[in-house]
Amino acid sequence: MKPLDLDVFLCRTDNFGVLVHDPETGLTASIDAPDADAVIAAADRRGWTISHIFTTHHHTDHVEGNLALKEKYGCEIIGPINEAVAIPGLDMTMSDDDTFLFGEHPVRVIETPGHTAGHICYHFTDDKLLFAADTLFALGCGRLFERPPADMWHSLQKLAVLPDETAIYFGHEYTLSNARFALTIDPDNERLKARAAEIEALRAEGRFTIPTTLALEKETNPFLRAGDPAIRRNLLMETKTNEEVFAEIRKRKDNF
Ligand code: ZN
Ligand code: FE
């Protein structure tokens, strides 16, 4: 089986567009549709035709291109069952642990409520790719608009058990601000300090920080590290639950 071919581009201001192309079948999925013109331009550059949109959640910056892309390509739109009414042009709904094939590539849906109540991530299990949108960012996690912190913590734990080498594609280029914040929570983490320096350099050159890996996030992302003794000591929360520590980190980021 030939490997999938990915194309990543920035759209709107800080949203990532991602196209996933299967050279075997010619299928091309757009992960969300932040901006129809940007998606079409990327597809044209590669000579690809959009066959699917894999929607993660209902926010405008993830679905605004749905109808225009459907009009142009007649593509099939897949999305979360718990947000079905809010997603334009939806053809097929998915819930937790549903699986389907993209060409011959197995995909598993993981429900990750938190940022929104019905947010889903797409895990290409054999390809070791995760499209995490606004649930898990490089060094960050999505803001909690529709669910309490404990739900998001639980959702992140569902991602944390995937294979360490999983490549994670996320929804926004927020990494520089996330890195600066992470250093306030976990200031003595040597891996985080090194990574933050790399990110400063990448962004100074205008380069993207996508993708990341699960191994790297587990070592450096404070939102996955609420159980870490040094972080707990730093926050004076050594006797609190992981959910409480996570909630405190999320609150501090909201005010950062
Ligand atoms: Zn969002
Ligand atoms: Fe977003």
Side-chain angles (χ1 to χ4, degrees), residues 139 173 175-181 183 192-207 209:
L139 293 176
E173 181 58 73
T175 313
L176 185 56
S177 146
N178 288 346
R180 290 171 179 168
F181 171 73
L183 286 169
L192 173 60
K193 285 195 256 184
R195 188 178 181 199
E198 279 167 27
I199 288 161
E200 293 275 354
L202 277 176
R203 294 305 295 144
E205 292 172 22
R207 290 162 66 193
T209 60

Side-chain angles (χ1 to χ4, degrees), residues 57 59 61-62 115-116 119 134 145 172:
H57 67 293
H59 285 160
D61 63 312
H62 297 258
H115 177 69
T116 63
H119 192 297
D134 292 1
F145 289 114
H172 292 269

